Amino acid sequence: MNRASSSTSTRRWAMKDLVLMVVLGVVFGFAYWALVQAWNGLSVLMGPAGDLSQHILLGGWLLVAPIAVAIIRRPGAGVAAEIIASIVEVVFLGSPVGPLLVVAAAIQGIGSELPFALTRYRRFGWGIFAFSGLLGAGLVFFWSAFRFGWYGQDIFLLRLLLQCLSGIVLGGLLAKVIVDALARTGVVDNF
């Protein structure tokens, strides 16, 4: 990525930025749908503890936001990419999660993008990516806990811990690995 243009977040959105954001959203919509299938399989394998599988894998649904932000470096890129991915997953692929997935995606996107916004889209180190995953996972956890009635359950803290760890590892650090790998190939040099 072009390191010389660290203040690229002040530029206007270019058509290539919009196209890349949509492409990332569509690609991750398919990836997220595949992750739902893995979630279902893991849930069956875990037997009585299968309900916890969603927390173990949750970070995987956070990937597109930090990737979009790190490449495009525009306010809202992560949130929009997450929403696009959720629409693809629900509308075109028939995700069993349903239309409320779009709300969860917006919450995840906001949480995932916030650490980058706090640095004015200028810092993209391991810590920022980890914080991105943590906030994305944490914010959507509390919304989901309200929605599914997890508050007051004996395993509430276990759910929170698993989801936050998954967010850090899969939604944050794995996103950093992917962004760095893309940068090494040169395919994002024009961003």
Side-chain angles (χ1 to χ4, degrees), residues 138-171:
L139 285 182
V140 80
F141 175 83
F142 289 107
W143 179 75
S144 296
F146 171 75
R147 191 169 156 233
F148 297 116
W150 297 335
Y151 291 107
Q153 289 184 353
D154 291 339
I155 60 171
F156 177 83
L157 290 177
L158 176 61
R159 288 179 187 277
L160 177 60
L161 177 65
L162 288 172
Q163 187 153 321
C164 287
L165 286 173
S166 179
I168 291 167
V169 174
L170 296 177

Side-chain angles (χ1 to χ4, degrees), residues 37-58:
Q37 309 319 306
W39 167 29
N40 289 333
L42 182 60
S43 179
V44 170
L45 289 175
M46 290 177 66
D51 184 47
L52 297 176
S53 64
Q54 63 184 304
H55 305 296
I56 295 168
L57 296 175
L58 185 274

Side-chain angles (χ1 to χ4, degrees), residues 71-155:
I71 296 171
I72 300 169
R73 299 187 182 194
R74 301 283 176 281
V79 176
E82 280 288 354
I83 291 171
I84 291 167
S86 71
I87 290 169
V88 167
E89 187 181 349
V90 171
V91 175
F92 298 105
L93 300 174
S95 173
V97 178
L100 281 178
L101 181 62
V102 178
V103 175
I107 293 168
Q108 291 169 188
I110 290 166
S112 294
E113 187 162 335
L114 187 58
F116 298 101
L118 292 173
T119 69
R120 300 184 68 184
Y121 302 91
R122 292 185 181 146
R123 294 190 50 218
F124 299 92
W126 291 99
I128 297 296
F129 275 89
F131 192 35
S132 169
L134 176 65
L135 276 183
L139 285 182
V140 80
F141 175 83
F142 289 107
W143 179 75
S144 296
F146 171 75
R147 191 169 156 233
F148 297 116
W150 297 335
Y151 291 107
Q153 289 184 353
D154 291 339
I155 60 171

